[in-house]
mmCIF file of all heavy atoms in Angstrom:
data_model
loop_
_atom_site.group_PDB
_atom_site.id
_atom_site.type_symbol
_atom_site.label_atom_id
_atom_site.label_comp_id
_atom_site.label_asym_id
_atom_site.label_seq_id
_atom_site.Cartn_x
_atom_site.Cartn_y
_atom_site.Cartn_z
ATOM 1 N N ALA A 1 -56.880 7.116 19.916
ATOM 2 C CA ALA A 1 -56.472 6.264 21.020
ATOM 3 C C ALA A 1 -57.623 5.311 21.335
ATOM 4 O O ALA A 1 -58.796 5.682 21.196
ATOM 5 C CB ALA A 1 -56.142 7.108 22.246
ATOM 6 N N ASP A 2 -57.292 4.113 21.745
ATOM 7 C CA ASP A 2 -58.325 3.114 22.028
ATOM 8 C C ASP A 2 -59.335 3.621 23.056
ATOM 9 O O ASP A 2 -60.526 3.306 22.981
ATOM 10 C CB ASP A 2 -57.686 1.823 22.524
ATOM 11 C CG ASP A 2 -56.968 1.072 21.420
ATOM 12 O OD1 ASP A 2 -57.232 1.349 20.229
ATOM 13 O OD2 ASP A 2 -56.140 0.197 21.746
ATOM 14 N N SER A 3 -58.867 4.410 23.991
ATOM 15 C CA SER A 3 -59.725 4.867 25.085
ATOM 16 C C SER A 3 -60.820 5.832 24.642
ATOM 17 O O SER A 3 -61.777 6.056 25.384
ATOM 18 C CB SER A 3 -58.877 5.522 26.178
ATOM 19 O OG SER A 3 -58.166 6.623 25.648
ATOM 20 N N VAL A 4 -60.679 6.417 23.450
ATOM 21 C CA VAL A 4 -61.675 7.399 23.006
ATOM 22 C C VAL A 4 -62.398 6.983 21.729
ATOM 23 O O VAL A 4 -63.293 7.680 21.264
ATOM 24 C CB VAL A 4 -61.034 8.792 22.809
ATOM 25 C CG1 VAL A 4 -60.304 9.233 24.064
ATOM 26 C CG2 VAL A 4 -60.109 8.810 21.599
ATOM 27 N N LYS A 5 -62.017 5.862 21.164
ATOM 28 C CA LYS A 5 -62.655 5.410 19.923
ATOM 29 C C LYS A 5 -64.163 5.272 20.102
ATOM 30 O O LYS A 5 -64.638 4.726 21.085
ATOM 31 C CB LYS A 5 -62.070 4.065 19.494
ATOM 32 C CG LYS A 5 -60.746 4.163 18.775
ATOM 33 C CD LYS A 5 -60.238 2.789 18.344
ATOM 34 C CE LYS A 5 -58.889 2.911 17.652
ATOM 35 N NZ LYS A 5 -58.336 1.573 17.304
ATOM 36 N N GLY A 6 -64.886 5.792 19.124
ATOM 37 C CA GLY A 6 -66.343 5.729 19.181
ATOM 38 C C GLY A 6 -66.977 6.841 19.989
ATOM 39 O O GLY A 6 -68.201 6.996 19.974
ATOM 40 N N ARG A 7 -66.168 7.614 20.690
ATOM 41 C CA ARG A 7 -66.710 8.701 21.527
ATOM 42 C C ARG A 7 -66.225 10.080 21.065
ATOM 43 O O ARG A 7 -66.950 11.058 21.194
ATOM 44 C CB ARG A 7 -66.307 8.503 22.988
ATOM 45 C CG ARG A 7 -66.796 7.199 23.589
ATOM 46 C CD ARG A 7 -66.546 7.138 25.092
ATOM 47 N NE ARG A 7 -65.134 7.211 25.434
ATOM 48 C CZ ARG A 7 -64.595 8.169 26.182
ATOM 49 N NH1 ARG A 7 -65.349 9.142 26.668
ATOM 50 N NH2 ARG A 7 -63.301 8.159 26.455
ATOM 51 N N PHE A 8 -65.005 10.135 20.554
ATOM 52 C CA PHE A 8 -64.424 11.402 20.126
ATOM 53 C C PHE A 8 -64.321 11.428 18.599
ATOM 54 O O PHE A 8 -64.090 10.396 17.967
ATOM 55 C CB PHE A 8 -63.023 11.585 20.703
ATOM 56 C CG PHE A 8 -62.975 11.839 22.188
ATOM 57 C CD1 PHE A 8 -64.080 11.671 23.006
ATOM 58 C CD2 PHE A 8 -61.780 12.241 22.773
ATOM 59 C CE1 PHE A 8 -64.023 11.902 24.367
ATOM 60 C CE2 PHE A 8 -61.702 12.478 24.137
ATOM 61 C CZ PHE A 8 -62.822 12.301 24.933
ATOM 62 N N THR A 9 -64.441 12.628 18.042
ATOM 63 C CA THR A 9 -64.285 12.811 16.600
ATOM 64 C C THR A 9 -63.408 14.028 16.347
ATOM 65 O O THR A 9 -63.716 15.129 16.805
ATOM 66 C CB THR A 9 -65.639 13.012 15.913
ATOM 67 O OG1 THR A 9 -66.487 11.890 16.165
ATOM 68 C CG2 THR A 9 -65.445 13.161 14.406
ATOM 69 N N ILE A 10 -62.326 13.815 15.613
ATOM 70 C CA ILE A 10 -61.442 14.910 15.240
ATOM 71 C C ILE A 10 -61.780 15.354 13.829
ATOM 72 O O ILE A 10 -62.131 14.540 12.973
ATOM 73 C CB ILE A 10 -59.951 14.492 15.342
ATOM 74 C CG1 ILE A 10 -59.033 15.687 15.118
ATOM 75 C CG2 ILE A 10 -59.630 13.353 14.393
ATOM 76 C CD1 ILE A 10 -57.560 15.398 15.411
ATOM 77 N N SER A 11 -61.696 16.654 13.605
ATOM 78 C CA SER A 11 -61.939 17.183 12.265
ATOM 79 C C SER A 11 -61.066 18.418 12.072
ATOM 80 O O SER A 11 -60.537 18.965 13.035
ATOM 81 C CB SER A 11 -63.420 17.528 12.070
ATOM 82 O OG SER A 11 -63.840 18.514 12.994
ATOM 83 N N ARG A 12 -60.938 18.833 10.827
ATOM 84 C CA ARG A 12 -60.143 20.027 10.558
ATOM 85 C C ARG A 12 -60.800 20.831 9.454
ATOM 86 O O ARG A 12 -61.381 20.268 8.525
ATOM 87 C CB ARG A 12 -58.696 19.673 10.196
ATOM 88 C CG ARG A 12 -58.517 18.880 8.942
ATOM 89 C CD ARG A 12 -57.091 18.337 8.808
ATOM 90 N NE ARG A 12 -56.139 19.364 8.381
ATOM 91 C CZ ARG A 12 -54.822 19.165 8.321
ATOM 92 N NH1 ARG A 12 -54.316 17.992 8.676
ATOM 93 N NH2 ARG A 12 -54.009 20.136 7.913
ATOM 94 N N ASP A 13 -60.699 22.137 9.575
ATOM 95 C CA ASP A 13 -61.180 23.056 8.552
ATOM 96 C C ASP A 13 -59.959 23.821 8.059
ATOM 97 O O ASP A 13 -59.521 24.791 8.688
ATOM 98 C CB ASP A 13 -62.232 24.002 9.136
ATOM 99 C CG ASP A 13 -62.885 24.877 8.071
ATOM 100 O OD1 ASP A 13 -62.229 25.154 7.047
ATOM 101 O OD2 ASP A 13 -64.037 25.287 8.283
ATOM 102 N N ASN A 14 -59.394 23.385 6.960
ATOM 103 C CA ASN A 14 -58.164 23.979 6.464
ATOM 104 C C ASN A 14 -58.355 25.442 6.069
ATOM 105 O O ASN A 14 -57.440 26.246 6.176
ATOM 106 C CB ASN A 14 -57.624 23.168 5.291
ATOM 107 C CG ASN A 14 -57.166 21.789 5.718
ATOM 108 O OD1 ASN A 14 -56.617 21.605 6.804
ATOM 109 N ND2 ASN A 14 -57.412 20.794 4.874
ATOM 110 N N ALA A 15 -59.548 25.782 5.632
ATOM 111 C CA ALA A 15 -59.814 27.164 5.233
ATOM 112 C C ALA A 15 -59.800 28.111 6.430
ATOM 113 O O ALA A 15 -59.466 29.287 6.301
ATOM 114 C CB ALA A 15 -61.154 27.251 4.516
ATOM 115 N N LYS A 16 -60.162 27.576 7.588
ATOM 116 C CA LYS A 16 -60.198 28.379 8.809
ATOM 117 C C LYS A 16 -58.977 28.143 9.692
ATOM 118 O O LYS A 16 -58.892 28.695 10.792
ATOM 119 C CB LYS A 16 -61.466 28.086 9.606
ATOM 120 C CG LYS A 16 -62.749 28.503 8.906
ATOM 121 C CD LYS A 16 -63.963 28.238 9.778
ATOM 122 C CE LYS A 16 -65.243 28.707 9.100
ATOM 123 N NZ LYS A 16 -66.442 28.450 9.939
ATOM 124 N N ASN A 17 -58.067 27.308 9.225
ATOM 125 C CA ASN A 17 -56.855 26.986 9.998
ATOM 126 C C ASN A 17 -57.222 26.505 11.397
ATOM 127 O O ASN A 17 -56.582 26.880 12.390
ATOM 128 C CB ASN A 17 -55.934 28.211 10.096
ATOM 129 C CG ASN A 17 -55.522 28.720 8.735
ATOM 130 O OD1 ASN A 17 -55.369 27.934 7.799
ATOM 131 N ND2 ASN A 17 -55.357 30.017 8.613
ATOM 132 N N THR A 18 -58.208 25.653 11.480
ATOM 133 C CA THR A 18 -58.730 25.214 12.772
ATOM 134 C C THR A 18 -58.926 23.701 12.788
ATOM 135 O O THR A 18 -59.336 23.107 11.794
ATOM 136 C CB THR A 18 -60.076 25.908 13.074
ATOM 137 O OG1 THR A 18 -59.882 27.323 13.053
ATOM 138 C CG2 THR A 18 -60.595 25.512 14.458
ATOM 139 N N VAL A 19 -58.611 23.135 13.939
ATOM 140 C CA VAL A 19 -58.825 21.713 14.180
ATOM 141 C C VAL A 19 -59.794 21.582 15.348
ATOM 142 O O VAL A 19 -59.695 22.334 16.321
ATOM 143 C CB VAL A 19 -57.504 20.992 14.496
ATOM 144 C CG1 VAL A 19 -57.736 19.501 14.678
ATOM 145 C CG2 VAL A 19 -56.480 21.245 13.394
ATOM 146 N N TYR A 20 -60.697 20.641 15.254
ATOM 147 C CA TYR A 20 -61.716 20.458 16.280
ATOM 148 C C TYR A 20 -61.621 19.071 16.912
ATOM 149 O O TYR A 20 -61.121 18.128 16.305
ATOM 150 C CB TYR A 20 -63.117 20.626 15.680
ATOM 151 C CG TYR A 20 -63.343 21.930 14.987
ATOM 152 C CD1 TYR A 20 -63.202 22.046 13.610
ATOM 153 C CD2 TYR A 20 -63.704 23.068 15.706
ATOM 154 C CE1 TYR A 20 -63.416 23.253 12.959
ATOM 155 C CE2 TYR A 20 -63.920 24.279 15.066
ATOM 156 C CZ TYR A 20 -63.774 24.360 13.697
ATOM 157 O OH TYR A 20 -63.980 25.569 13.061
ATOM 158 N N LEU A 21 -62.141 18.983 18.122
ATOM 159 C CA LEU A 21 -62.299 17.680 18.769
ATOM 160 C C LEU A 21 -63.686 17.660 19.401
ATOM 161 O O LEU A 21 -63.941 18.362 20.377
ATOM 162 C CB LEU A 21 -61.224 17.441 19.836
ATOM 163 C CG LEU A 21 -61.247 16.044 20.454
ATOM 164 C CD1 LEU A 21 -60.848 14.985 19.417
ATOM 165 C CD2 LEU A 21 -60.316 15.964 21.668
ATOM 166 N N GLN A 22 -64.566 16.878 18.818
ATOM 167 C CA GLN A 22 -65.905 16.692 19.364
ATOM 168 C C GLN A 22 -65.872 15.504 20.312
ATOM 169 O O GLN A 22 -65.504 14.401 19.906
ATOM 170 C CB GLN A 22 -66.919 16.448 18.253
ATOM 171 C CG GLN A 22 -68.332 16.188 18.757
ATOM 172 C CD GLN A 22 -68.951 17.411 19.409
ATOM 173 O OE1 GLN A 22 -68.919 18.499 18.857
ATOM 174 N NE2 GLN A 22 -69.536 17.219 20.586
ATOM 175 N N MET A 23 -66.232 15.746 21.556
ATOM 176 C CA MET A 23 -66.165 14.701 22.578
ATOM 177 C C MET A 23 -67.573 14.396 23.082
ATOM 178 O O MET A 23 -68.306 15.314 23.465
ATOM 179 C CB MET A 23 -65.279 15.162 23.739
ATOM 180 C CG MET A 23 -63.882 15.574 23.306
ATOM 181 S SD MET A 23 -62.815 16.021 24.681
ATOM 182 C CE MET A 23 -63.641 17.499 25.255
ATOM 183 N N SER A 24 -67.919 13.135 23.082
ATOM 184 C CA SER A 24 -69.238 12.700 23.543
ATOM 185 C C SER A 24 -69.061 11.569 24.545
ATOM 186 O O SER A 24 -67.987 10.979 24.647
ATOM 187 C CB SER A 24 -70.083 12.235 22.360
ATOM 188 O OG SER A 24 -70.224 13.245 21.396
ATOM 189 N N SER A 25 -70.135 11.277 25.251
ATOM 190 C CA SER A 25 -70.111 10.206 26.257
ATOM 191 C C SER A 25 -68.897 10.342 27.168
ATOM 192 O O SER A 25 -68.180 9.360 27.432
ATOM 193 C CB SER A 25 -70.114 8.833 25.565
ATOM 194 O OG SER A 25 -71.237 8.674 24.748
ATOM 195 N N LEU A 26 -68.687 11.532 27.623
ATOM 196 C CA LEU A 26 -67.491 11.820 28.424
ATOM 197 C C LEU A 26 -67.500 11.055 29.741
ATOM 198 O O LEU A 26 -68.565 10.843 30.351
ATOM 199 C CB LEU A 26 -67.374 13.316 28.668
ATOM 200 C CG LEU A 26 -66.849 14.108 27.463
ATOM 201 C CD1 LEU A 26 -67.173 15.588 27.599
ATOM 202 C CD2 LEU A 26 -65.352 13.905 27.310
ATOM 203 N N LYS A 27 -66.308 10.660 30.154
ATOM 204 C CA LYS A 27 -66.114 9.906 31.386
ATOM 205 C C LYS A 27 -65.199 10.698 32.319
ATOM 206 O O LYS A 27 -64.388 11.514 31.859
ATOM 207 C CB LYS A 27 -65.475 8.561 31.075
ATOM 208 C CG LYS A 27 -66.231 7.713 30.068
ATOM 209 C CD LYS A 27 -65.453 6.442 29.743
ATOM 210 C CE LYS A 27 -66.183 5.585 28.724
ATOM 211 N NZ LYS A 27 -65.425 4.342 28.395
ATOM 212 N N PRO A 28 -65.264 10.430 33.609
ATOM 213 C CA PRO A 28 -64.357 11.129 34.533
ATOM 214 C C PRO A 28 -62.886 10.959 34.152
ATOM 215 O O PRO A 28 -62.085 11.890 34.342
ATOM 216 C CB PRO A 28 -64.671 10.458 35.874
ATOM 217 C CG PRO A 28 -66.104 10.053 35.753
ATOM 218 C CD PRO A 28 -66.256 9.616 34.325
#
C-alpha cells in the first residue's frame, strides 16, 4: 500500500509456513 511503502517489508518462509511483516518508522 502506498501508505507503507519504504517502511514495511513483507517476507515469507515457505519451509516454516510463516509470513512476516517487518515494520519500521512506525506512525500513529
Side-chain angles (χ1 to χ4, degrees):
D2 288 342
S3 59
V4 306
K5 279 182 181 176
R7 300 188 299 119
F8 289 12
T9 302
I10 187 171
S11 61
R12 63 191 283 173
D13 187 332
N14 293 323
K16 295 182 178 180
N17 302 327
T18 302
V19 183
Y20 304 97
L21 186 67
Q22 178 67 49
M23 304 183 294
S24 302
S25 301
L26 283 162
K27 304 175 181 180

